[in-house]
Amino acid sequence: MKEKLYTMELTDAVKAGDECLFCWLERKLEQENLEFVLGSSYMEGDIREETSIKGFCRHHTKMMYDYGNSLGNAWIMKSRLEYVNREWKKQMAQDMPGKKAGFFSRLGKSGDTKTQEAVSTAEAWIRLEEKHCYVCSRMKKIYGRMLDTFVYLLKAEPEFGRLLMESKGFCLPHFADILHVCYEKLKPEEQQVWIPKLRQLMETNLDRVQEDIDWMIEKYDYRNQDADWKQSRDALQRTMQKLVGSHPADPVFKCQK
Ligand SMILES: [Zn+2]
Ligand SMILES: [Zn+2]
C-alpha cells in the first residue's frame, strides 16, 4: 500500500501565514493527538496497553493535564503506573551493586549532551523509560511523512513552490529538517534549484523578524511612544518561534466539550 501523502495539510499550512509552516503543522498534529489520546481511545484495550508501555514525556504529560478530562487521564495514568509497578519489581530484583548497567545521555550543566554510565541497572531502566512517549512517537511518524510530502510537492506542484516563496518560511530547527530531507531526497539538479531559493527565503524572513524585534525595543523609548508599532506588537513571540520553534504565546490547549 502506498503511504499517505499530506498534500492538503501542507497546502493549508503554506497558506496559514505562520512564521513557520511546520510549526503550524506540528501544533495541529499535537492537538489532534491529544484529542485522540484523551478522546475515547483510552477505553480500547490495545491502545491502553501501548500507552502503558510507552508512557508520556514531561511536556505531553503537562499538556494532558491542562487539556482536562480528569477521569480519562486517571485511567491512562492508573494503567501506566500498574505497568511501572510490575516492571519495578523485576528491575529491582536484578539491581545489584557493581553490575554493569550501560550508558545514557543527559544534558550537562553547560547545556551540552553528555554520555554517562548508569551506576546501576535500575538507573539505566528509569533513564530508558524517560526516553519514550506515546504522543511523541505518533507525531514523529506522521512528521516524517509530512517532510516527504514537502519534497513531493516541491517536485510536483509549481503552485506549492510559488506559495512557499511568498510564505514566511520556517523556524531554525524545522529549516534544518527541511535541508536534511531536501539533500536526501531531491536529485542534484533539483537541489541546485531549490536549496538557494530556500536559503534566500530563510534569510529574507530572518532579516524581517530582526527588524521587527529591533523596532519593538525602540518603541519602549519614550520618544517613540506615539510612533506606529508597525509589525512589532508580537515580535517577541515571533522571534522566539523563529529561533527555537513552537508558539510561545499560545494559550493552553483545552478540551472543547
Ligand atoms: Zn518551526
Ligand atoms: Zn512526548
Side-chain angles (χ1 to χ4, degrees):
M1 196 182 82
K2 224 169 154 247
E3 280 195 89
K4 179 176 157 62
L5 283 171
Y6 290 86
T7 48
M8 263 191 19
E9 289 82 349
L10 268 279
T11 310
D12 288 346
V14 80
K15 291 177 184 166
D18 201 278
E19 283 295 342
C20 169
L21 61 123
F22 272 86
C23 282
W24 189 88
L25 281 169
E26 200 173 65
R27 172 168 63 192
K28 192 163 172 281
L29 189 61
E30 192 167 49
Q31 293 181 349
E32 283 167 3
N33 269 286
L34 228 68
E35 277 167 346
F36 174 78
V37 167
L38 286 163
S40 55
S41 69
Y42 59 87
M43 294 314 285
E44 290 168 33
D46 52 337
I47 291 173
R48 183 96 67 83
E49 198 184 327
E50 213 184 325
T51 59
S52 297
I53 293 170
K54 285 198 175 138
F56 301 91
C57 68
R58 188 181 288 187
H59 167 70
H60 286 128
T61 302
K62 169 75 175 136
M63 276 193 87
M64 285 163 73
Y65 184 82
D66 287 340
Y67 179 77
N69 188 0
S70 299
L71 182 60
N73 266 305
W75 271 114
I76 295 166
M77 293 301 149
K78 165 194 153 67
S79 301
R80 168 71 178 152
L81 186 58
E82 281 169 358
Y83 171 82
V84 167
N85 269 324
R86 271 199 311 278
E87 281 299 303
W88 170 275
K89 289 182 182 70
K90 280 189 230 160
Q91 295 291 336
M92 293 310 135
Q94 291 168 17
D95 189 52
M96 271 174 278
K99 195 173 166 186
K100 277 259 176 292
F103 291 86
F104 64 94
S105 52
R106 72 184 306 181
L107 277 186
K109 273 195 189 124
S110 53
D112 49 343
T113 313
K114 285 192 174 124
T115 304
Q116 285 188 350
E117 191 169 8
V119 292
S120 72
T121 53
E123 182 193 355
W125 168 65
I126 296 169
R127 302 285 183 199
L128 204 69
E129 285 301 310
E130 288 177 323
K131 290 231 178 313
H132 39 77
C133 164
Y134 179 74
V135 179
C136 282
S137 73
R138 274 177 68 98
M139 286 178 63
K140 209 173 156 191
K141 229 185 268 172
I142 298 173
Y143 178 64
R145 290 299 297 153
M146 285 178 165
L147 286 172
D148 291 346
T149 309
F150 178 81
V151 173
Y152 164 82
L153 286 171
L154 279 191
K155 288 169 180 248
E157 296 282 347
E159 177 62 6
F160 180 80
R162 193 187 64 74
L163 288 167
L164 178 67
M165 287 304 127
E166 284 175 4
S167 79
K168 293 176 178 165
F170 312 93
C171 68
L172 276 179
H174 282 134
F175 185 62
D177 291 344
I178 292 292
L179 278 180
H180 189 95
V181 76
C182 283
Y183 277 118
E184 201 175 59
K185 305 225 157 135
L186 287 177
K187 294 192 197 105
E189 60 270 26
E190 292 167 334
Q191 289 176 18
Q192 294 211 338
V193 174
W194 280 108
I195 303 289
K197 280 192 187 184
L198 291 169
R199 279 197 205 134
Q200 187 55 53
L201 175 68
M202 269 309 276
E203 210 173 301
T204 307
N205 283 288
L206 283 168
D207 287 343
R208 172 182 54 78
V209 176
Q210 181 78 63
E211 267 180 45
D212 291 348
I213 190 107
D214 289 353
W215 179 242
M216 181 184 167
I217 288 171
E218 292 292 313
K219 261 295 287 173
Y220 278 83
D221 187 323
Y222 72 95
R223 284 166 298 189
N224 290 325
Q225 61 184 351
D226 296 325
D228 183 20
W229 272 96
K230 300 180 197 168
Q231 308 296 321
S232 293
R233 248 180 231 282
D234 59 350
L236 176 61
Q237 54 263 44
R238 287 188 293 105
T239 304
M240 287 174 166
Q241 182 186 357
K242 261 302 182 241
L243 291 170
V244 298
S246 94
H247 302 91
D250 269 3
V252 293
F253 179 59
K254 280 187 186 295
C255 180
Q256 299 300 318
K257 283 168 214 156

